[in-house]
Amino acid sequence: MRKTDATIRIAKRELEGHFYEPRTGLPGVLFIHGWNGSQDRDAERSRAISRLGCVCLTFDMRGHGLTQSERPKVTRTDNLEDICAAYDKLVTHPSVDASCILVVASSYGAYLSTFLTAVRPVKWLAMRVPALYSDDDWDQPKDAIDREDLRLYRSTEVPLMSNRALKHCQHFGGDVLIVESEKDERIPHPTIASYLASFKRACSITHRIIEGADHSLSRLESRRVYDEILVRWIKEMVLAAR
Amino acid sequence: MRKTDATIRIAKRELEGHFYEPRTGLPGVLFIHGWNGSQDRDAERSRAISRLGCVCLTFDMRGHGLTQSERPKVTRTDNLEDICAAYDKLVTHPSVDASCILVVASSYGAYLSTFLTAVRPVKWLAMRVPALYSDDDWDQPKDAIDREDLRLYRSTEVPLMSNRALKHCQHFGGDVLIVESEKDERIPHPTIASYLASFKRACSITHRIIEGADHSLSRLESRRVYDEILVRWIKEMVLAAR
């Protein structure tokens, strides 16, 4: 059990109280959207996964949702800070077992989630179409990165030691799911291969390709297949472990 | 499942987020202390009961704990307001099933808890040495009530229709536990009998007397017996119902 402060506010005063509660300890799931994405894309998925007995948190990164106007200035440092703050919000939820955190991230969010694993405990990592960026332009606004440079960078397998995200993958000791889109116009297979090669200490690696899918899963059928892959993996990894 | 807003604060900004969580639905237990009491008296009890799988809330009523200096002015209206605010705090706890609330109250707190049942859903009501007061002096500061008047009022059985607390008991449809102290110097048996007679619609009534106990359970052995009675009743009523 645990004891926590509970301040009871009435009109102009505060009463001192305390909660005493059992450690129910549900797994916590942090959803991280991609660049130009939003938390709304994970809303239905979060509902479904919460019904399996997990506490899910979705959020809009800086430069998205209500702060969309800031997008041109936002850097990876900014968004990594956002992700850490969201993680901290999730683990302090009273029903969450802080030692059982799953991160479900897409594209740019999946790239940043590798940095999260270096600073916060993450037990399970589900990455859909993880993006990859060179370390060099880390402090540039994300929107200012040259698209052609990016295309070139992602078109061949990136050596593990030359990229911080891949180095973080190398140290990750949990279970990994990597979901690729067969017809991805942004993330070509060599980038996926770079990630797959980097998880040298993972408990398990599950790699799946969604046939005919594009980067953003614009087709309903592709989203349905992704949901199936994700839920099956969560049942196997997260729920069976408990 | 349920969806709730989750604002993530970082430095000078807020990010919009949402929690999606299963309804774990634990019973909530509100502890209400007596006059001159404090939440500390229920601390160990709350620990034990939370380990059975309940979320417990203890708090200090106005005029007690940190606001002790206000005691001479505090009225029943004030403390009933406190109790309602504490109840509202408990039912909004994310792990609590708001339809499964147990109130565990002593003496003056047990008297006031009957008024709570008239304005908030309470499924189980455990009253230890419930006090009884005339309706007439409701708006007087509690500390100003004449002790001799009180002694007289409590020394004979009070007719149900002449007292608001007893009328609330008459409408209570849940399970009731009434624990009496054999050597109670404040609450004589006729007061307990008034309460017992008033619960005309209760699902069940359990009445127990702690042998040799005084009003405040000053002896360790009396407190141990009370804990046993309370825990056994909670296991039978609250946990078995789930």
Side-chain angles (χ1 to χ4, degrees), chain A residues 10 13 20 56 58 70 82, chain B residues 10 13 18 20 56 70 82:
Chain A
I10 34 169
R13 68 180 64 236
Y20 298 80
C56 300
T58 66
E70 300 178 35
D82 298 343
Chain B
I10 33 168
R13 68 179 64 237
H18 291 101
Y20 298 79
C56 300
E70 299 178 35
D82 298 342

Side-chain angles (χ1 to χ4, degrees), chain B residues 44-64:
Chain B
E44 275 317 303
R45 206 161 278 136
S46 295
R47 276 179 207 280
I49 291 167
S50 72
R51 285 198 191 92
L52 298 178
C54 301
V55 176
C56 300
L57 177 62
T58 66
F59 70 105
D60 289 323
M61 280 194 279
R62 213 173 305 185
H64 297 75

